[in-house]
């Protein structure tokens, strides 16, 4: 258990170390500047839209524009920093908690723990015990590959998040709020998956079947988080961001034509 705890924490730590590489820092910096550029374009468009709405008789257009500009400023300042720091915090927390769980399980000693696990296997038939071992391996490997790719997924989310900064100063924040939920869902999944997996290994010493069920539940954390609006995939956000970029291009063409 201590080995798996340290191993899975190491895999998650590799996702954190990804953002310490020079070329990754350059990519994040590029999208940070790109986000600021889109924010500037969105700010200009927001001023034109507020002026037209004010002339049409909408008295609170300037106030709404000011609120959108402030939200966009904070979003542009933090979208490339907060996700990485939040991810690092979740990795540190689950690493500490997993090592604590593994350390508490070793109070009986290694030999007594091994005897307890073997006793759990002996309580079932040979085929059932083999099936439970396959379930354990499936849970561990699925969590392993999920941890391995999570750093790259976060990098993609940062890149996609820059595309929403055109809409935020104009008052359209639904897409950006969805992106924030995705980042929170990814960090929550990083914290819960490994922790529940280690807890399942601990339960296996007393009840092998219940422990396998808990380990399988660890693989379902992303799907459960998605049911509560914390989607960890990037597919939906990419499509929405592409639509936002197309809208920005069309509005820019309209403004250029109006100025000419």
């Amino acid at each position: 258990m201590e080995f798996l705890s340290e191993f899975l924490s190491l895999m998650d730590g590799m996702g954190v170390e990804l953002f310490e590489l020079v070329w990754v820092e350059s990519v994040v910096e590029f999208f940070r500047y790109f986000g600021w550029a889109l924010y500037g374009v969105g700010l200009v468009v927001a001023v034109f839209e507020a002026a037209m709405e004010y002339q049409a008789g909408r008295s609170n257009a300037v106030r709404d524009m000011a609120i959108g500009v402030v939200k966009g400023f904070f979003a542009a300042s933090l979208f490339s920093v907060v996700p990485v720091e939040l991810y690092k915090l979740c990795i540190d927390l689950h690493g500490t908690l997993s090592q604590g769980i593994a350390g508490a399980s070793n109070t009986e000693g290694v030999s007594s723990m091994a005897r307890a696990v073997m006793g759990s296997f002996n309580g079932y038939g040979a085929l059932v015990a083999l099936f439970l071992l396959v379930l354990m391996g499936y849970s561990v490997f699925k969590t392993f590959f999920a941890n391995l790719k999570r750093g790259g997924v976060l990098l993609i989310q940062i890149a996609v998040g820059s595309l929403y900064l055109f809409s935020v100063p104009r008052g359209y924040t639904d897409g950006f709020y969805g992106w924030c939920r995705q980042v929170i869902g990814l960090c929550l999944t990083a914290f819960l998956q490994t922790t529940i997996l280690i807890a399942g290994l601990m339960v296996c010493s007393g009840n092998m079947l219940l422990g396998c069920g808990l380990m399988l539940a660890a693989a379902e954390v992303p799907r459960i988080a998605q049911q509560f609006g914390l989607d960890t995939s990037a597919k939906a956000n990419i499509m929405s961001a592409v639509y936002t970029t197309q809208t920005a291009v069309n509005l820019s063409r309209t403004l250029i034509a109006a100025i000419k």
Side-chain angles (χ1 to χ4, degrees), residues 1-15 87 91 94-95 98-99 139-148 150 190 193-198 201 215 218:
M1 289 180 62
E2 283 186 346
F3 167 74
L4 285 176
S5 176
E6 294 179 0
F7 179 72
L8 293 175
S9 297
L10 178 63
M11 291 300 101
D12 284 343
M14 291 177 63
Y87 182 65
I91 296 303
H94 96 66
S98 298
Q99 290 177 2
S139 303
V140 171
F141 279 105
K142 188 171 183 179
T143 304
F144 164 74
F145 285 111
N147 293 342
L148 194 61
R150 195 163 285 132
Q193 266 196 328
T194 307
T195 304
I196 295 177
L197 183 66
I198 298 299
L201 287 172
M215 293 172 65

Side-chain angles (χ1 to χ4, degrees), residues 52 246-260:
M52 290 186 293
Q246 292 176 349
T247 304
V249 173
N250 294 333
L251 283 174
S252 301
R253 291 175 180 176
T254 303
L255 288 175
I256 293 174
I259 293 173
K260 289 182 178 180

Side-chain angles (χ1 to χ4, degrees), residues 125-164:
L127 293 178
V128 177
L130 180 61
F131 178 70
L132 292 178
L133 281 175
V134 172
L135 289 182
M136 289 179 61
Y138 169 78
S139 303
V140 171
F141 279 105
K142 188 171 183 179
T143 304
F144 164 74
F145 285 111
N147 293 342
L148 194 61
K149 68 180 182 181
R150 195 163 285 132
V153 172
L154 184 61
L155 179 61
I156 295 173
Q157 288 182 338
I158 293 175
V160 172
S162 64
L163 301 177
Y164 288 102

Side-chain angles (χ1 to χ4, degrees), residues 206-227:
N207 191 323
M208 196 69 186
L209 188 60
L210 184 59
C212 286
L214 191 57
M215 293 172 65
L216 290 174
E220 298 298 323
V221 171
R223 186 181 62 83
I224 296 173
Q226 184 178 356
Q227 299 300 319

Side-chain angles (χ1 to χ4, degrees), residues 11-124:
M11 291 300 101
D12 284 343
M14 291 177 63
V16 175
E17 293 174 358
L18 177 67
F19 292 93
E20 298 177 358
L21 299 177
V22 177
W23 68 270
V24 175
E25 292 179 352
S26 301
V27 171
V28 173
E29 190 73 7
F30 167 77
F31 282 106
R32 187 176 73 86
Y33 284 121
F34 182 65
W36 275 109
L38 288 180
Y39 169 73
V41 176
L43 179 61
V44 174
V45 175
V47 171
F48 278 100
E49 290 179 345
M52 290 186 293
E53 291 179 358
Y54 186 80
Q55 290 179 353
R58 185 183 173 188
S59 58
N60 59 347
V62 178
R63 179 180 63 85
D64 293 341
M65 182 202 70
I67 294 175
V69 169
V70 173
K71 289 181 179 179
F73 176 79
F74 283 108
S77 301
L78 300 176
F79 85 98
S80 61
V81 178
V82 172
V84 179
E85 297 300 325
L86 182 62
Y87 182 65
K88 290 180 180 179
L89 176 62
C90 291
I91 296 303
D92 292 338
L93 285 177
H94 96 66
T96 303
L97 183 59
S98 298
Q99 290 177 2
I101 294 174
S105 67
N106 285 332
T107 56
E108 301 176 355
V110 177
S111 60
S112 60
M113 176 65 81
R115 287 195 298 269
V117 174
M118 292 305 297
S120 299
F121 276 118
N122 293 332
Y124 302 98

